């Protein structure tokens, strides 16, 4: 919120509360992103809280994955682990004293009892017994007052709990519902933005909030992310589901973040590729859709390609150098001017950083391979060896090695032989690169230089006599 030139901080406090029990899922990333966007839109506070009470499944490795993935996406947190804040600790495993304090509050109000070694939360309402066909026994139920949940996305939703529920297990560990509510109260959370699959838990949470005498926060249950084929919620096992995959494939984090913004939110004007500052300005609950969002791997790749093409040359070079070095395409001794020139020529064709070695290796290495499929495509049409043989002498005679002069050579040879100049291009590209596609041919030939081009054409003709 900005008034004049003075930044006014709001009282909005949102949280992202992942469990370190597995790799970072794209659905978790989108939930974190929507919370972060709302905090930034309102000049509120974005809190990272780690729900690590499951001792058997937690791991430090997965905890680091959460931190690294959030930072990779540019989602900085205002309070939480490694940052601090006034409402810590921010790991639930370190908050047991707080949970015991709140458990005593409920016990003092007569809202807890022990059964089968566990501690149960006691609902208020008329109690009755009903035979449960599934359990094949009588079950005690409660006619509790329905909870009216005011959801910023779903509208008003009425839910009613009909039986007591466990808040502390027999092994002494607190249950998710209990610690979730206690932490939201203790950390003064004002808005709970989470997946639609948590809507079924919300009536339990509202019962607990009101038992503590606290008004529930504002709820906003965002749409689920469905698998690519649209059949069911996307899980960690589905292709494209893990943020780590995009990091390893050298996706640009800004592109991934932008795509995730569009999974369930829209600025209402058909735009999709947007600067994060503009998204922050526009992001609010009315733009979040109710229907579930379908993940589209090809669309994610398209977003990434658009971001790659928009990179300044200096940034592209900074990102490309370690990738090409690791692939063995370049070394620390590779001429920087030549390297930059290659990238300038190739930039319009670069859609993914992970493809750089395959796309550019022939610019730096004489041991490039000829792609068999590319060769088959070139040799299917006309007589490519004859065309290359016709062009070679004219290229050898050319002294002014510029794009225009090289193109003029092909024009002249084609005219003399009664061919089209494009009949000569595919086989020339195959000879100098081993590929059927890539950066524009004339700039490629210019950058490679006459000596290298002539030598490669001769070698290619020799091998394909």
């Amino acid at each position: 919120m900005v008034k004049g030139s003075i930044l006014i901080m709001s009282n909005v406090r949102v949280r992202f509360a992942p469990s370190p029990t597995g790799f970072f899922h794209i659905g978790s990333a989108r939930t974190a992103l929507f919370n972060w966007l709302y905090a930034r839109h309102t000049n509120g506070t974005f809190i990272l809280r780690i729900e690590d009470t499951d001792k058997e499944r937690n791991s430090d490795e997965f905890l680091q994955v959460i931190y690294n993935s959030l930072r990779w996406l540019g989602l900085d947190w205002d309070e939480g682990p490694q940052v601090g804040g006034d409402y810590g600790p921010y790991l639930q495993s370190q908050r047991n004293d707080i949970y015991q304090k709140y458990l005593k509050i409920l016990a003092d109000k007569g809202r807890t009892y022990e059964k089968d070694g566990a501690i149960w939360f006691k609902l208020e309402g008329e109690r009755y017994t009903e035979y449960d066909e599934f359990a094949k026994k009588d079950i005690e139920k409660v006619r509790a007052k329905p909870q009216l949940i005011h959801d910023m996305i779903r509208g008003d939703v009425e839910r009613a709990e009909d039986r007591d529920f466990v808040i502390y297990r027999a092994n002494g560990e607190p249950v998710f519902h209990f610690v979730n509510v206690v932490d939201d109260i203790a950390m003064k959370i004002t808005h709970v933005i989470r997946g639609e699959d948590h809507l079924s838990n919300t009536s339990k949470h509202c019962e607990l909030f009101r038992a503590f005498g606290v008004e529930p926060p504002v709820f906003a249950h965002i749409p689920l992310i469905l698998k690519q084929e649209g059949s069911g919620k996307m899980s960690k096992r589905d292709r494209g589901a893990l943020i780590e995959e995009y990091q390893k494939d050298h996706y640009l984090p800004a592109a991934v973040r932008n795509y995730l913004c569009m999974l369930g939110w829209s600025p209402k004007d058909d735009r999709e590729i947007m600067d994060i500052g503009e998204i922050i300005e526009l992001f609010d609950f009315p733009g979040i859709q109710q229907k579930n969002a379908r993940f589209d791997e090809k669309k994610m790749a398209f977003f990434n390609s658009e971001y790659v093409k928009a990179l300044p040359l200096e940034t592209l070079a900074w990102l490309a150098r370690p990738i090409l070095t690791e692939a063995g395409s370049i070394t620390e001794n590779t001429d920087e001017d030549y390297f930059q020139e290659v990238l300038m020529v190739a930039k319009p064709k670069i859609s993914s950083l992970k493809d750089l070695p395959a796309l550019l290796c022939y610019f730096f290495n004489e041991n490039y391979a000829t792609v068999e499929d590319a060769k088959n495509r070139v040799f299917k049409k006309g007589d490519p060896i004859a065309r290359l043989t016709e062009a070679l002498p004219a290229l050898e005679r050319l002294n002014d090695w510029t794009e225009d002069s090289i193109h003029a050579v092909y024009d002249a040879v084609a005219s003399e032989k009664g061919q089209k100049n494009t009949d000569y291009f595919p086989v020339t590209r195959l000879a100098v690169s081993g590929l059927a596609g890539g950066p524009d041919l004339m700039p490629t030939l210019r950058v490679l230089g006459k000596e290298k081009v002539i030598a490669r054409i001769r070698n290619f003709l020799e091998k394909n006599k």
Side-chain angles (χ1 to χ4, degrees):
M1 299 175 184
V2 178
K3 186 176 181 181
S5 60
I6 300 173
L7 185 66
I8 301 175
M9 301 302 293
S10 75
N11 67 344
V12 168
R13 292 176 59 83
V14 298
R15 46 73 166 179
F16 172 57
S19 299
T21 56
F23 289 106
F24 200 55
H25 181 250
I26 205 165
S28 299
R30 199 272 309 262
T31 298
L33 174 61
F34 278 23
N35 276 277
W36 181 84
L37 286 170
Y38 191 67
R40 297 295 172 259
H41 174 75
T42 59
N43 289 314
T45 303
F46 175 58
I47 299 157
L48 176 62
R49 185 173 80 214
I50 303 298
E51 297 190 342
D52 61 342
T53 55
D54 190 340
K55 296 177 182 177
E56 292 183 2
R57 297 176 60 213
N58 293 334
S59 88
D60 288 337
E61 176 191 359
F62 292 139
L63 182 59
Q64 292 305 317
V65 166
I66 291 171
Y67 298 153
N68 294 339
S69 297
L70 288 173
R71 288 200 169 99
W72 183 75
L73 287 167
L75 306 184
D76 54 321
W77 51 99
D78 305 305
E79 294 180 21
Q82 302 182 343
V83 171
D86 295 334
Y87 300 92
Y90 292 93
L91 275 70
Q92 287 184 339
S93 59
Q94 300 173 6
R95 295 176 61 81
N96 192 55
D97 288 348
I98 297 170
Y99 301 142
Q100 289 295 322
K101 170 187 168 185
Y102 276 82
L103 180 62
K104 186 176 186 303
I105 292 173
L106 292 183
D108 289 346
K109 290 184 175 184
R111 299 299 300 274
T112 66
Y113 62 91
E114 188 173 337
K115 184 177 75 173
D116 301 326
I119 299 175
W120 292 66
F121 175 71
K122 184 178 181 181
L123 293 172
E124 290 183 330
E126 179 190 352
R127 295 183 174 265
Y128 64 99
T129 301
E130 185 178 278
Y131 185 74
D132 189 302
E133 284 289 343
F134 180 77
K136 299 299 181 185
K137 63 179 181 180
D138 288 335
I139 301 291
E140 185 184 73
K141 292 190 175 183
V142 183
R143 290 190 177 91
K145 180 182 178 182
Q147 299 285 347
L148 184 62
I149 302 160
H150 300 286
D151 191 278
M152 297 300 292
I153 299 166
R154 306 287 153 187
D156 286 349
V157 180
E158 190 174 88
R159 292 280 192 276
E161 291 298 310
D162 66 354
R163 64 190 72 184
D164 300 340
F165 53 89
V166 174
I167 55 175
Y168 260 80
R169 299 183 182 90
N171 64 4
E173 292 181 356
V175 170
F176 160 76
H177 304 297
F178 178 74
V179 295
N180 190 275
V181 169
V182 168
D183 287 344
D184 284 348
I185 294 171
M187 295 180 182
K188 301 186 183 302
I189 300 302
T190 62
H191 295 70
V192 171
I193 304 169
R194 58 189 179 187
E196 182 192 344
D197 49 341
H198 283 288
L199 186 58
S200 59
N201 297 324
T202 307
S203 56
K204 287 185 175 67
H205 298 176
C206 287
E207 288 282 0
L208 286 166
F209 276 114
R210 288 175 178 139
F212 285 118
V214 175
E215 191 66 24
V218 175
F219 290 105
H221 288 89
I222 61 181
L224 301 180
I225 300 177
L226 304 180
K227 300 176 185 180
Q228 295 195 64
E229 62 273 19
S231 59
K233 178 185 174 183
M234 197 171 186
S235 74
K236 294 179 181 180
R237 295 180 296 276
D238 293 316
R239 179 176 172 178
L242 301 181
I243 293 299
E244 292 87 344
E245 295 177 17
Y246 301 104
Q247 292 177 270
K248 289 175 183 176
D249 285 345
H250 303 291
Y251 271 66
L252 296 179
V256 175
R257 184 179 60 200
N258 189 165
Y259 177 70
L260 291 178
C261 288
M262 302 303 157
L263 282 178
W265 175 81
S266 170
K268 305 297 186 186
D269 57 7
D270 295 328
R271 286 182 302 158
E272 291 188 310
I273 296 179
M274 300 170 61
D275 177 80
I276 191 62
E278 190 174 9
I279 292 174
I280 289 171
E281 183 179 343
L282 295 173
F283 187 86
D284 210 340
F285 296 128
I288 299 177
Q289 301 152 7
Q290 287 195 17
K291 68 177 183 178
N292 292 328
R294 185 174 66 85
F295 177 76
D296 187 333
E297 191 173 21
K298 289 182 178 178
K299 194 167 185 178
M300 171 85 91
F302 169 74
F303 271 61
N304 188 60
S305 69
E306 292 297 296
Y307 270 80
V308 169
K309 288 172 184 175
L311 287 173
L313 185 63
E314 295 77 12
T315 305
L316 176 61
W318 182 76
L319 293 169
R321 184 171 279 281
I323 296 170
L324 291 167
T325 300
E326 184 179 350
S329 300
I330 64 173
T331 68
E332 60 181 19
N333 297 321
T334 299
D335 182 78
E336 184 63 27
D337 290 339
Y338 179 72
F339 180 63
Q340 295 262 352
E341 199 168 14
V342 169
L343 290 179
M344 188 181 299
V345 166
K347 193 170 183 289
K349 297 292 183 179
I350 299 173
S351 59
S352 172
L353 297 180
K354 74 171 182 177
D355 295 333
L356 284 174
L359 183 67
L360 303 181
C361 69
Y362 65 88
F363 279 102
F364 307 101
N365 195 330
E366 293 302 313
N367 296 322
Y368 60 90
T370 297
V371 177
E372 199 61 30
D373 182 59
K375 184 175 180 180
N376 291 338
R377 285 164 58 188
V378 170
F379 275 74
K380 272 184 180 179
K381 188 175 180 181
D383 189 348
I385 295 300
R387 301 290 83 79
L388 198 58
T389 302
E390 292 163 1
L392 178 59
L395 291 171
E396 289 174 326
R397 291 192 297 270
L398 183 63
N399 293 320
D400 183 23
W401 195 260
T402 66
E403 293 172 28
D404 289 342
S405 62
I406 298 169
H407 205 291
V409 165
Y410 283 104
D411 289 343
V413 172
S415 177
E416 179 186 342
K417 301 297 182 180
Q419 303 287 333
K420 295 182 291 186
N421 60 6
T422 52
D423 293 332
Y424 296 82
F425 295 164
V427 67
T428 302
R429 181 186 296 280
L430 183 68
V432 302
S433 72
L435 305 174
D440 288 349
L441 182 59
M442 297 307 134
T444 296
L445 298 177
R446 174 186 60 78
V447 170
L448 284 171
K450 178 180 178 179
E451 183 180 344
K452 200 172 287 185
V453 169
I454 297 301
R456 291 183 180 187
I457 291 176
R458 286 175 179 166
N459 186 53
F460 183 82
L461 289 174
E462 182 65 25
K463 287 182 178 179
N464 291 278
K465 283 182 178 177

